[in-house]
Amino acid sequence: MRDCIIVGGGPAGLSAGIYMARFLRDTVLFDAGRPRADRIPRSRNLPGYPDGVTGPELLDGMRRQLDHYEVEIRRDRVTTAQRIEGGFRVEAEGGAVEARALILATGVTNRPPRIPEDLHDEGVARGLIRYCPICDAYEVRGKKVAILGSGPHAVAEGRFVKHYAEDVTVVRPEHAPLDDDGERALSEAGLKILPSHRRDIRLDDDWIVVEMEDGREERFDTLYVALGTDPHSDLARDLGAELTEAGCIPVDAHCETSIKGLFAIGDVVAGLDQIAYGMGHAAVACTEIHNRLPGRRG
């Protein structure tokens, strides 16, 4: 039985791998997908990068750092997990692994607008489509910004962006309702709202253009997508861990779930979706695991 299994190869999972290796713990890390961080065109709010860093650059540096240590990296995907006596067993495409502790760093997926994938990716690369105002609203200060979404999430995101940009408009997705309370909340926050649902989104030079069902068109410097995320918490559910209504994993102060020995870190955890926050989760969880485990590997 190994000391620890880490599922997920984003910033949180890679940080956990580095910590466990430096604790001299026998660790297996499953890095099978494309982390959400890989799509970041450039982040400027991560400490230590005065000129910012792209997602691929950050992940490459962390993987190279992990290469200095004795951690088994497996590129296959974990399919199921179960509790066994003394720990956990995960089944993967390349075979099963057992360990005393299990860390889930499985992340979330953003719900994108219904537009062609190549158009979406170009918009993200050029900063015309964004997902994280906490990460980069500083870059849109003074610009004309749209928030694509409805309900409390869109209102909250609009209020946040309003701190940076005076001209903020909420754009409703296709056929998404907005009740009287939502209209009132937008008005009280000083946010505009387009009168009908959006029909199309396209790029035009340095603008993102939103076409509405009533034929009206509006041009924006940036569109924030506030359609929510889908947490990758299936393994936690299979193990019987408690989940929030949204499907995220609640954890205690040590990043432990409701299942003893099962830890969750990064964006899949209920809370703030930030790279620095996920790295902090990794430090907390790995230190707790190390302090609990007996002895050390030979």
Side-chain angles (χ1 to χ4, degrees):
M1 183 173 284
R2 318 292 283 271
D3 286 327
C4 184
I5 296 168
I6 302 164
V7 183
L14 294 172
S15 294
I18 293 167
Y19 268 83
M20 293 309 295
R22 292 179 60 82
F23 285 141
L24 302 177
R25 293 300 179 177
D26 187 6
T27 302
V28 183
L29 187 149
F30 287 89
D31 180 5
R34 184 186 178 193
R36 186 163 64 147
D38 194 47
R39 296 170 171 83
I40 297 174
R42 184 164 296 274
S43 175
R44 293 182 171 84
N45 75 330
L46 192 61
Y49 296 93
D51 299 316
V53 61
T54 70
E57 288 170 345
L58 175 66
L59 293 169
D60 179 66
M62 296 184 74
R63 287 171 181 144
R64 286 189 288 108
Q65 183 174 352
L66 191 55
D67 284 342
H68 290 295
Y69 303 103
E70 294 181 13
V71 172
E72 181 183 348
I73 309 296
R74 290 187 42 176
R75 302 296 179 187
D76 48 335
R77 186 174 299 279
V78 172
T79 54
T80 60
Q82 63 185 96
R83 285 187 273 176
I84 60 173
E85 184 177 353
F88 302 88
R89 176 185 176 91
V90 302
E91 298 283 348
E93 295 159 353
V97 181
E98 297 179 355
R100 295 175 179 83
L102 174 58
I103 299 175
L104 300 180
T106 44
V108 303
T109 297
N110 292 107
R111 296 174 191 159
R114 295 181 184 174
I115 59 176
E117 186 176 355
D118 57 345
L119 178 68
H120 169 269
D121 292 349
E122 181 186 352
V124 171
R126 294 170 55 190
L128 297 174
I129 297 175
R130 298 175 183 265
Y131 282 90
C132 180
I134 293 177
C135 306
D136 52 32
Y138 183 89
E139 272 70 55
V140 304
R141 58 197 192 283
K143 295 185 177 180
K144 185 177 181 181
V145 180
I147 308 292
L148 179 65
S150 62
H153 183 53
V155 174
E157 197 146 309
R159 282 177 173 155
F160 188 92
V161 174
K162 196 77 165 58
H163 176 71
Y164 296 88
E166 282 297 314
D167 194 342
V168 181
T169 301
V170 172
V171 176
R172 282 176 284 179
E174 310 93 316
H175 310 297
L178 191 68
D179 57 22
D180 291 342
D181 289 341
E183 295 271 10
R184 190 178 308 110
L186 290 172
S187 176
E188 290 173 354
L191 302 169
K192 303 175 186 176
I193 182 168
L194 292 182
S196 68
H197 302 94
R198 78 96 173 169
R199 182 169 66 189
D200 192 24
I201 294 174
R202 67 178 190 275
L203 309 182
D204 185 7
D205 293 329
D206 292 331
W207 299 94
I208 184 157
V209 181
V210 179
E211 181 181 335
M212 310 307 293
E213 286 184 339
D214 60 7
R216 178 177 174 179
E217 286 189 358
E218 287 284 342
R219 292 171 174 262
F220 299 96
D221 295 295
T222 290
L223 179 140
Y224 275 100
V225 180
L227 300 177
T229 59
D230 294 311
H232 302 159
S233 52
D234 291 350
L235 295 176
R237 184 179 290 107
D238 291 346
L239 290 164
E242 197 176 299
L243 300 178
T244 69
E245 186 176 340
C248 290
I249 307 175
V251 296
D252 65 12
H254 301 292
C255 293
E256 191 169 24
T257 71
S258 59
I259 304 294
K260 185 174 178 61
L262 175 65
F263 294 76
I265 61 176
D267 293 347
V268 75
V269 172
L272 186 65
D273 289 1
Q274 291 286 288
I275 290 173
Y277 196 58
M279 290 177 170
H281 282 165
V284 170
C286 292
T287 302
E288 178 66 17
I289 292 168
H290 170 65
N291 287 337
R292 287 188 195 179
L293 289 173
R296 51 163 282 190
R297 69 182 184 186

